[in-house]
Amino acid sequence: MQQQIINQDPYWQKIPKWRNASVEDFLSYKWQVDNTIQTYDQLVAFMRSVLPANIPPASSDTSPSSASINQDQLIEDVNDGVQRASMTIRLSPHVLSLIDWQQPLSDPLLRQFVPMGSRFLPDHPELRLDSLGETSDSPVKGLIRSYPDKAVFLATSVCPVYCRFCTRSYTTGVDTASVSKVRFLPIMKKWEPIFAYIERTETLTDILVSGGDSYSLTDSQLLAIGRRLFAMPHILRVRFASKGLAVCPSRVVDPNDTWTEALIQLSNEGRAMGKSISLQTHFNHPTEITWVTEAAARRLFKAGVQVRNQTVLLNGVNSDFETMTKLIRRLAALNIQPYYVFQHDLVRSVEDLRTPLSTILSLESQIRGTIAGFMTPNFMVNLPGGGGKRLACSYESYDRSTGLSQFRAPNSHMRGEGENGKELWEYWDPYWSLEREEAYAPGGGYLDPRNTDDELMSREAEAITGPDANADPNASFDAQDLDGLRLRARNIADLYERELDQLYARMEPLNYYGKFLGSEKKSPKKSPKSEGRGKDQGRGRGDDGGGSSPYPKGSTTDKGKMADIGGAGGQLHAADFGKPVENEGIPNPPPLESPPKHRYQSQGGSPGGQSSQRTSPKSKDSTGLTSPNKKAKGRHPQQDADNQIELTDIKRQ
């Protein structure tokens, strides 16, 4: 194998500082670690050595107003992004060698790993730093148990690279200007409570060793964890999660590194005991696969190690049919099972990378049936707040106008929310993908269409004059300003009133299902007026149904139809909820949505969307308000990992 490898193209030699690096150098894991970029200053020095003087606009921008930028402008943009990001910089030579530095604004790898302030969009109001509610599912520090038979063992907080879109930005990497990490250290003393919990919980059969990244463990630590788990009779499967194969594959083929030998040894020992070991890796784009990757995958396959891949759907990276199909086929050719394609989680500072649910639904409809079934991934949504993984196509309802989709999660009783758990879990599309331009509020953030005129004026006043305007929102406005704001508020309310009129015309006295424009995420407790009603009745947002009306007080909608639905006994037909009155034939959504372009691209109109073809209930819920991201103040986010201390607080912007 070594002779075959030496004959391959030295792609890293395109980088000036590695022009003289030999194949043996590049395949050395020690060389990879020594040349990994870990600070912003190192990144700036590297970029100055590889960037051209003038950088062309993104290849997707063909507008006449598009223009090149210079090196300093891009570096300034990256500095802005680093200051605001929740993840620090860590880039391996493998990744740095594959980025097209002549056209960086079009490169899918740079988009994943290098933050640019101009691409940031305001975070969704439903976003939480711990987006999956993992800390609430942690019976002991360092262990996540969201399912009855499976748990995640957080063995470390370190990765070979740091992704912008990391779901565990609350723990992975070192502190940033906006987040103090809850760190998990690879120390046996820290692991003992985790082992003790797993050992006494005999319903657990499957342990995923993650973090961080198991690539950051030593061979002895890898063996210690695997053998300790194998010794427990009820543990049947152990999976090691690592992006290493995608971002630093040379470690697998390095004859002087023993990590891979330890993994192969565990695989053989587990097989002899009737237990399985697998490597869960993470490729997002075909460009990440090189001849070094192929050599590493062949070694693992020859040794009998099962490898599965989990891809995250990323806007502008792999959100089109051609790229996703190519990635799946290349992985399959390497005997890496394309196991999951995940809808992007609601992660801080990466709203530009999220796609609407319609994109993953469209991709699955195009891909399934064109690739062998056992090599076709499951297209999944990991439900925010702890609902667990659900097939994207299994939604109960999906409203393209608000971006709200709802799912049922059978394992949600693990959260302790009653015998049956929370009935419906929500996922929200990014606001840039919504059909209504009104989604964006003045000065950044988002508008909630249920706000009254006064609330909208207060929002506008704060955006223009600062927080002090809250005391007197009319202080800085003349009559023309106020008239314009009132008209804008009425237009937003009228939009929803027209939709309600159409739905009301189709109502039948059948069982009401789900929420309707509710302002609360959880069903309200039964009031005395709702006693004796069915399980799903009395949830409307009228005067008698609990909660507040989604319309301004005094409107005919507030006093009339909404009260009839929720409080006066009127009920809504579930199958008719949200159907168009005239046209039942709705085309499939496009496979790719585009967010507002960054400042190096022309500003086009807001993208439109189309309704889901499914005719299940459409449920509208709060869109909320959030302030735009502000540049974090304080120290620079890049720090020496050795000087970090373990913290338990999480700062929120």
Side-chain angles (χ1 to χ4, degrees):
M1 179 186 292
Q2 189 70 17
Q3 182 62 39
Q4 182 180 4
I5 289 175
I6 292 175
N7 293 332
Q8 300 295 336
D9 173 44
Y11 55 89
W12 59 90
Q13 291 182 357
K14 295 180 295 184
I15 305 300
K17 64 181 298 186
W18 300 328
R19 187 169 292 131
N20 297 321
S22 65
V23 172
E24 290 80 4
D25 290 335
F26 191 78
L27 296 184
S28 165
Y29 182 60
K30 183 180 183 302
W31 186 93
Q32 290 280 327
V33 172
D34 290 343
N35 286 275
T36 292
I37 287 179
Q38 304 187 58
T39 68
Y40 172 72
D41 290 341
Q42 289 176 343
L43 178 62
V44 170
F46 180 89
M47 291 176 68
R48 291 202 181 280
S49 72
V50 295
L51 288 173
N54 294 309
I55 299 166
S59 57
S60 58
D61 184 11
T62 58
S63 62
S65 59
S66 63
S68 299
I69 61 170
N70 61 44
Q71 190 180 100
D72 289 337
Q73 287 175 302
L74 179 57
I75 291 175
E76 179 185 357
D77 197 5
V78 170
N79 179 58
D80 183 31
V82 169
Q83 291 284 356
R84 296 162 60 182
S86 58
M87 295 299 296
T88 52
I89 292 292
R90 189 182 179 101
L91 293 166
S92 67
H94 175 80
V95 171
L96 292 166
S97 299
L98 296 178
I99 293 175
D100 184 355
W101 293 104
Q102 298 304 303
Q103 299 188 70
L105 298 180
S106 304
D107 190 85
L109 272 67
L110 184 134
R111 190 170 178 82
Q112 294 181 62
F113 300 110
V114 181
M116 294 172 55
S118 62
R119 287 177 167 168
F120 279 41
L121 295 172
D123 287 332
H124 195 283
E126 293 296 317
L127 178 146
R128 301 293 181 270
L129 182 61
D130 177 11
S131 63
L132 301 181
E134 292 180 335
T135 53
S136 299
D137 287 336
S138 180
V140 60
K141 186 175 181 180
L143 190 77
I144 303 166
R145 189 186 178 198
S146 302
Y147 303 89
D149 63 346
K150 184 184 77 174
V152 180
F153 185 155
L154 301 180
T156 178
S157 290
V158 180
C159 297
V161 300
Y162 292 135
C163 309
R164 283 184 56 206
F165 50 89
C166 181
T167 293
R168 294 200 182 103
S169 57
Y170 71 92
T171 178
T172 302
V174 297
D175 291 357
T176 68
S178 61
V179 181
S180 291
K181 310 287 182 168
V182 181
R183 306 196 72 217
F184 299 102
L185 305 178
I187 301 173
M188 184 60 70
K189 181 179 178 180
K190 300 282 187 180
W191 294 344
E192 281 300 334
I194 301 174
F195 286 129
Y197 178 88
I198 296 173
E199 196 163 21
R200 68 175 180 264
T201 309
E202 296 185 358
T203 53
L204 289 173
T205 61
D206 188 327
I207 303 298
L208 174 64
V209 182
S210 184
D213 192 304
S214 60
Y215 227 49
S216 301
L217 301 174
T218 64
D219 57 341
S220 59
Q221 290 171 333
L222 203 69
L223 289 169
I225 292 174
R227 287 170 175 167
R228 182 75 175 267
L229 294 173
F230 280 164
M232 303 176 192
H234 55 284
I235 299 302
L236 305 177
R237 291 172 297 277
V238 179
R239 295 175 291 154
F240 289 94
S242 175
K243 195 175 173 66
L245 189 60
V247 298
C248 188
S250 57
R251 184 176 199 180
V252 178
V253 297
D254 182 358
N256 299 315
D257 187 83
T258 55
W259 188 92
T260 305
E261 284 296 336
L263 181 67
I264 294 172
Q265 187 173 347
L266 279 177
S267 178
N268 293 335
E269 292 177 7
R271 189 177 297 107
M273 301 172 66
K275 302 186 177 187
S276 71
I277 280 280
S278 64
L279 179 66
Q280 309 290 119
T281 193
H282 179 186
F283 289 86
N284 286 329
H285 195 275
T287 302
E288 298 165 10
I289 300 174
T290 69
W291 58 267
V292 182
T293 315
E294 294 171 357
R298 283 197 301 271
R299 181 186 181 190
L300 293 173
F301 180 69
K302 184 177 180 180
V305 177
Q306 185 175 29
V307 184
R308 302 187 186 99
N309 185 72
Q310 301 181 170
T311 292
V312 177
L313 182 60
L314 301 169
N315 184 53
V317 174
N318 55 20
S319 53
D320 61 284
F321 170 77
E322 181 180 356
T323 301
M324 185 63 73
T325 302
K326 185 177 181 180
L327 173 63
I328 293 171
R329 292 187 182 279
R330 291 202 66 181
L331 291 171
L334 297 177
N335 294 295
I336 298 174
Q337 183 184 8
Y339 188 50
Y340 281 146
V341 172
F342 278 113
Q343 179 75 1
H344 199 304
D345 296 331
L346 272 73
V347 177
R348 179 183 289 183
S349 304
V350 289
E351 197 72 351
D352 61 299
L353 288 177
R354 288 208 302 130
T355 64
L357 186 72
S358 59
T359 300
I360 197 170
L361 297 174
S362 178
L363 283 173
E364 181 176 13
S365 69
Q366 295 177 76
I367 291 172
R368 193 167 295 283
T370 65
I371 299 174
F374 66 93
M375 281 298 178
T376 300
N378 292 309
F379 295 81
M380 311 295 292
V381 177
N382 213 343
L383 296 174
K389 301 178 182 67
R390 307 299 295 159
L391 289 170
C393 62
S394 69
Y395 61 86
E396 291 286 331
S397 64
Y398 180 32
D399 185 345
R400 285 288 287 116
S401 64
T402 62
L404 172 63
S405 52
Q406 294 183 315
F407 296 80
R408 292 192 182 277
N411 289 328
S412 59
H413 67 276
M414 296 289 297
R415 302 302 303 273
E417 301 189 33
E419 181 179 352
N420 297 319
K422 184 176 178 180
E423 290 188 1
L424 291 175
W425 296 79
E426 299 171 346
Y427 181 84
W428 294 85
D429 288 350
Y431 269 96
W432 62 257
S433 69
L434 301 187
E435 299 169 1
R436 302 189 315 278
E437 292 183 3
E438 292 89 344
Y440 285 93
Y446 304 106
L447 285 176
D448 186 338
R450 298 168 301 179
N451 285 341
T452 63
D453 288 9
D454 290 341
E455 290 170 328
L456 285 171
M457 286 186 287
S458 177
R459 173 74 169 159
E460 181 79 18
E462 182 175 355
I464 294 178
T465 65
D468 292 339
N470 286 333
D472 184 6
N474 298 331
S476 62
F477 288 86
D478 57 29
Q480 185 175 1
D481 293 327
L482 294 176
D483 288 343
L485 288 170
R486 291 191 180 99
L487 177 61
R488 183 171 184 170
R490 291 192 197 99
N491 288 340
I492 297 170
D494 288 346
L495 172 68
Y496 280 84
E497 188 164 356
R498 286 195 299 271
E499 290 185 2
L500 181 62
D501 288 340
Q502 290 181 336
L503 295 173
Y504 191 73
R506 300 178 62 89
M507 279 191 232
E508 297 179 28
L510 296 176
N511 198 27
Y512 170 46
Y513 172 72
K515 296 185 295 183
F516 185 73
L517 292 175
S519 60
E520 299 293 330
K521 292 185 68 175
K522 296 180 180 179
S523 301
K525 296 180 180 179
K526 287 186 178 180
S527 64
K529 294 183 180 182
S530 64
E531 290 295 335
R533 294 183 179 180
K535 178 180 179 182
D536 288 319
Q537 297 182 26
R539 294 184 182 177
R541 293 303 186 228
D543 296 335
D544 295 330
S548 59
S549 168
Y551 292 98
K553 290 185 177 180
S555 69
T556 56
T557 305
D558 179 58
K559 293 182 177 179
K561 296 167 187 172
M562 288 303 295
D564 289 343
I565 295 172
Q571 296 168 334
L572 184 64
H573 192 311
D576 287 343
F577 197 113
K579 281 186 178 180
V581 176
E582 300 288 340
N583 181 17
E584 299 290 345
I586 305 175
N588 283 325
L592 175 63
E593 307 278 353
S594 297
K597 297 178 179 179
H598 60 77
R599 69 182 180 216
Y600 303 139
Q601 296 177 326
S602 63
Q603 298 297 322
S606 62
Q610 294 172 326
S611 300
S612 168
Q613 195 170 17
R614 180 176 290 200
T615 57
S616 60
K618 292 172 70 177
S619 178
K620 298 182 175 68
D621 207 333
S622 171
T623 52
L625 287 171
T626 187
S627 299
N629 275 338
K630 295 180 180 180
K631 192 168 184 178
K633 297 180 180 180
R635 56 190 174 79
H636 199 282
Q638 299 299 330
Q639 303 176 18
D640 186 346
D642 295 335
N643 295 329
Q644 296 301 306
I645 60 172
E646 192 167 3
L647 300 174
T648 56
D649 61 310
I650 299 176
K651 294 182 286 185
R652 297 184 180 276
Q653 290 189 27

